[in-house]
Structures are given as C-alpha cells and as structure tokens.
Amino acid sequence: MKKIVALACGVCLIGGAAKAQTVQSKYGVDSVKTIESASIYSEFLKQKNFKEALPAWSYVFHNAPAFQTLTYTKGEDLFVSLYKQTKDRAYIDSLKMVYDQWVQYSYINPRFGEGYILGKKGATLIQLGVADDEELKEAYGYLSKSFEMEGNRSHPITVQVLFFAAGDLMRKDLVSRDEYINQYMKVSDFVDRALKHAKRPEPFKEMKNRIDGMFFSSGAADCETLNRLLTEKYNAAPEDVENIRSVVSLLRRNECEHLALYTTVAEQLYKLEPSAEAAYSLAIMFMKRQDWDKADNYLQEAISKVGNDEMSKGDYCMRLAQLKLAKKQFAEAKRAALSAIECNPKNGAAYILIGKAYAAYANNYGEDAFDHASVFWAAVDKFNKAKQVDPSVAEEVNKLISSYTPHFPNKDEAFFRSVTEGASVKIGDWINESTTARFSK
C-alpha cells in the first residue's frame, strides 16, 4: 500500500514538474537554457552586436514568453537597431510581432499595460518612417486606442505623435477635419492638465507650443467648423469650467470672437469663475465690439488677477498696450508694453508698439518741426531693439524703419540747434529717452 501511495505521489510530482516546464511558465520549456540565452543576448546588445544577439533573444521570445518584460523592451531595441542599420522592412514586421506578443504577456508587469504598449508601437512605427498611407493609418489606430485607454496617464510622446499623425492623415484626406479638430481638443486638454500638475512644466509648454502651432497653421480650424463642433462641446457640459475654458481658448486663438457662441461662453465662464482668464476673454469680446472702456476695465482686472503666470500676464499686458495705443493714450501704451517686456524680454512686438506710440505722438512733442521730427529717432531705436531681441520680426521692422527714417530732421534744422550727426539728444516728456542724432537725406 505504501508503494502505491509513493508511486502516486511520484506521478503527481512528475506531472507537476512537467506542467511547470511549459512555454507558458515563467522560465519556459527549459529554465537553464532560458536564463543562459537571456544572458547571451543581453551581452551582445551591450556590445551593439545586434545580429549576434538575435538567435539567443529569439529562443527566449518563442520558448519563454512570460519570462520577463526585458524580453520585449530589449526586443524593441534589437529590431529598431537592425532596421536602422539595414532599412530592411522585414525587421519592422518583427517589431510588430514583439509588440503583439508583449500585449499578450503584459500581465507579467502591470506597469506596462496594453494601452502603453500600443502607444509605443504606433509611435515607433511613425518615428521609423511608415512605408505607405496604410501603415500610417495602422499606426494612427494604435496611437488612438492607446490614448483612449491611458487617458491622462498617456506618455507625452504618444500623444504628440498621435496629433502629428492625425495632421498628416487629414492632409491626405484620410481623416476628416472634424476628427482632426476633435483630436486637437483632446490633446490640448491633456497638455493643459499636465501643465497644472507637472513638476517640470517646461517640456509640456514646448509641447503645447508645437501642437498649437501645427493646429492653427493647418487650415482646419475655420470659424464655421469650430462654431459647429464647439457648440456641441459647450452644450454637453455648460457648467463645466474646464470645458468652457477649452471652448473659449479655441475660439479666441482662431480669432472667432465675433461668433455669438463666443459671447455666450465668455460670459458663462466669467459667471462661473471670475478669473483672470475669464476677464481676459470678455475683454477680447469688447475689443472686437470697439467698446474700449469695458475692454480696458476687464484687461486691468485680468492683469490684477493673473498672479505668477508670466506668459499669460505678458499676453494681457500686450493687449492692454494695443488698446491704449488705439485710444491714443500713448504713455499708458508704453507702460503696458514695458510690463509685457518684463514678462518676456524677447518680446519684439512690444518694442515695435512702443516705437509706433512714439511716432504717433511726434507732432505733439516740443515746439517746432525739429522737435517733432527728433521723436522719430527714438521710434527707430525701438524698432532696431525689436529685431535685436526677436529676429523673427526683422522683415516688419525693416519696413517700418524705411517708412519712418525719411521723417528724421534734416541738417539745416539741426544747424540752428547746434546738433551734429551722432550727438546724444534727450527726448523728454513721457518718452524720456536718450537717442543719437541722425539726419534725413
């Protein structure tokens, strides 16, 4: 009887061992060979001997797929490197196979779930260069599903590549403008949330600038299309401050403040949350209506409430400077522009505005034609400063200089003031600048 029991236990042990040594077990069909193969391919990868690493890696991949996540991350590195070396599209197919099996065995490390892996798959395919439109659509599908599954946990690279791919597909008429705009709204919301909570916001600010730049240069966001889509977005959640803020921002950035929808959402945002941004949104609305006093009041409120957000404060101050210039309140226009420069010392537009304010005031300065003309020296100084701090405005600045230089005093006028070429001259009043004498030809 004892022999029978012992035999039965032996069969159970053997059966248990046999069951343990399967492809689905952690170490696969041969634990010794799995560990040995993993060590071999890891060493070859360190040496960048990718082809030599392939057989050992392949053994682990096929015979111990549940061994470790490194099988898949190293496999990704392996086939990306082989493709870059050879440009053989067969390695792209192998790379897809790696991602597909990684999804199947993602349970071995829940940190890298299906959504994360699909994002890696789509982004890597696009970064390596898709073969055709079908592969681009395939990669876009992986990225879209990843973003849907991961939400706010999505990797920023995945989200950015998703939006770039959407733009490429829209230009090829492979996705609709509506889908592209909807993707922009989702991606923009993602970045805005990340900016609020990121320990290092700078990368997300750069990402936002890239995404916004691409969107607003795409030609997709005309006011008619935005009105239709954003009306639906607003009506879906008219009490949601984040939702309304997103709608206001989109309309404002695309210069659609003339729409009735903009009035509705701007007033609703201010009602629910009378923040700096809400006040600024109303200011823009009143500027479009040329109701300068109301616009002025709301801009002042926005600036007073903005806090430490230097980028927004700079935008608000520039708007106020533009408003003051339009109202011919030149000293106040300069003061607001200088505040914008404090927020961003490379703000060439602010220096241009100050120069224009000087030029507009010229006929009111001093007592005679020489005094009036001398103001244009200070104006041109500001134009030159503008392109010095911001080379992107050089073309505009050069045109302004060409227009204003002929208004400089002439030598005859200067003679009676004992002013010589190159002399230092003080322009007083609210301008309060020292400049250099130059003469019209």
Side-chain angles (χ1 to χ4, degrees):
M1 182 65 179
K2 289 181 181 179
K3 289 182 179 180
I4 294 172
V5 172
L7 181 62
C9 288
V11 170
C12 289
L13 289 170
I14 293 169
K19 185 177 181 181
Q21 296 296 306
T22 66
V23 170
Q24 300 301 320
S25 64
K26 178 175 174 58
Y27 292 97
V29 296
D30 187 331
S31 58
V32 173
K33 189 167 183 180
T34 294
I35 295 171
E36 181 184 82
S37 297
S39 177
I40 291 170
Y41 81 69
S42 295
E43 191 58 37
F44 276 130
L45 288 177
K46 287 179 186 177
Q47 300 169 15
K48 301 189 183 302
N49 292 327
F50 302 112
K51 288 190 176 180
E52 290 83 350
L54 190 53
W57 176 87
S58 183
Y59 175 84
V60 178
F61 179 79
H62 290 291
N63 295 285
F67 177 47
Q68 57 184 358
T69 301
L70 278 174
T71 304
Y72 303 101
T73 57
K74 295 294 186 182
E76 179 185 39
D77 293 342
L78 174 62
F79 288 114
V80 166
S81 299
L82 285 169
Y83 175 71
K84 287 181 176 179
Q85 282 184 345
T86 66
K87 300 302 179 185
D88 186 343
R89 299 295 300 182
Y91 289 124
I92 297 292
D93 294 334
S94 298
L95 185 61
K96 293 178 185 179
M97 179 181 67
V98 171
Y99 289 121
D100 291 343
Q101 185 163 295
W102 190 1
V103 168
Q104 185 181 347
Y105 290 92
S106 59
Y107 64 84
I108 62 179
N109 187 345
R111 179 185 168 195
F112 304 113
E114 180 180 0
Y116 172 85
I117 299 165
L118 289 174
K120 290 272 283 180
K121 183 178 184 179
T124 304
L125 290 175
I126 288 176
Q127 287 167 345
L128 291 178
V130 293
D132 51 33
D133 290 348
E134 285 304 311
E135 195 167 76
L136 177 60
K137 287 170 65 178
E138 177 189 358
Y140 176 72
Y142 299 140
L143 292 163
S144 298
K145 187 173 181 182
S146 171
F147 192 31
E148 182 182 332
M149 295 177 73
E150 295 290 287
N152 291 338
R153 297 174 298 133
S154 296
H155 195 287
I157 292 177
T158 299
V159 178
Q160 184 168 281
V161 176
L162 164 67
F163 186 66
F164 290 175
D168 287 342
L169 288 167
M170 183 196 68
R171 284 187 287 274
K172 296 172 182 285
D173 293 323
L174 297 173
V175 302
S176 66
R177 286 203 311 171
D178 286 7
E179 180 175 346
Y180 177 69
I181 294 171
N182 279 321
Q183 285 290 15
Y184 170 77
M185 290 192 290
K186 292 176 186 176
V187 168
S188 188
D189 287 346
F190 167 85
V191 178
D192 288 342
R193 283 192 293 269
L195 277 169
K196 289 181 180 178
H197 305 294
K199 293 180 180 178
R200 290 181 60 250
E202 288 76 16
F204 288 102
K205 287 180 181 178
E206 293 174 6
M207 179 179 175
K208 182 177 180 64
N209 289 336
R210 284 192 293 272
I211 288 170
D212 286 351
M214 179 169 287
F215 179 70
F216 289 104
S217 64
S218 69
D222 62 272
C223 291
E224 181 182 350
T225 303
L226 285 177
N227 187 51
R228 177 168 49 83
L229 292 173
L230 295 180
T231 297
E232 295 175 6
K233 181 176 172 66
Y234 169 69
N235 289 336
E239 302 294 322
D240 185 334
V241 171
E242 290 295 331
N243 182 55
I244 298 170
R245 188 180 291 118
S246 173
V247 173
V248 169
S249 178
L250 275 168
L251 291 173
R252 191 172 66 226
R253 290 182 68 92
N254 209 49
E255 299 183 356
C256 299
E257 296 95 337
H258 62 281
L259 296 174
L261 174 63
Y262 183 86
T263 302
T264 300
V265 294
E267 291 177 340
Q268 177 72 344
L269 180 60
Y270 190 80
K271 175 184 173 184
L272 294 174
E273 183 187 71
S275 62
E277 183 181 358
Y280 179 65
S281 298
L282 284 175
I284 298 303
M285 181 183 76
F286 285 117
M287 285 183 76
K288 288 287 184 180
R289 296 177 181 177
Q290 297 187 353
D291 190 334
W292 307 123
D293 290 339
K294 286 186 178 179
D296 195 328
N297 289 337
Y298 279 114
L299 281 171
Q300 299 281 7
E301 180 181 345
I303 292 168
S304 69
K305 288 181 174 180
V306 73
N308 296 323
D309 184 350
E310 293 294 300
M311 184 164 57
S312 294
K313 185 178 180 180
D315 290 342
Y316 301 166
C317 288
M318 271 303 296
R319 285 287 190 176
L320 182 61
Q322 291 163 356
L323 176 62
K324 295 295 187 182
L325 183 61
K327 294 173 74 174
K328 298 185 179 181
Q329 296 174 349
F330 302 121
E332 293 181 34
K334 177 182 179 179
R335 190 156 47 246
L338 288 173
S339 295
I341 291 168
E342 286 181 15
C343 297
N344 176 16
K346 295 184 179 180
N347 189 339
Y351 284 107
I352 291 174
L353 188 143
I354 294 172
K356 288 180 176 179
Y358 288 177
Y361 185 70
N363 286 337
N364 298 313
Y365 176 73
E367 299 177 353
D368 55 24
F370 179 86
D371 288 338
H372 303 335
S374 67
V375 175
F376 289 97
W377 293 334
V380 170
D381 289 346
K382 292 303 177 190
F383 298 147
N384 281 318
K385 181 68 174 179
K387 64 179 178 179
Q388 178 187 334
V389 301
D390 182 7
S392 69
V393 302
E395 183 177 354
E396 178 186 358
V397 162
N398 289 336
K399 289 179 181 178
L400 289 169
I401 291 174
S402 296
S403 296
Y404 287 120
T405 299
H407 296 287
F408 285 174
N410 61 46
K411 288 185 178 181
D412 292 339
E413 293 169 330
F415 176 78
F416 291 105
R417 292 295 187 94
S418 298
V419 176
T420 58
E421 184 95 26
S424 178
V425 179
K426 180 66 180 283
I427 308 298
D429 206 337
W430 62 270
I431 296 175
N432 194 29
E433 299 270 6
S434 292
T435 185
T436 302
R438 289 148 285 175
F439 303 122
S440 61
K441 296 178 180 179

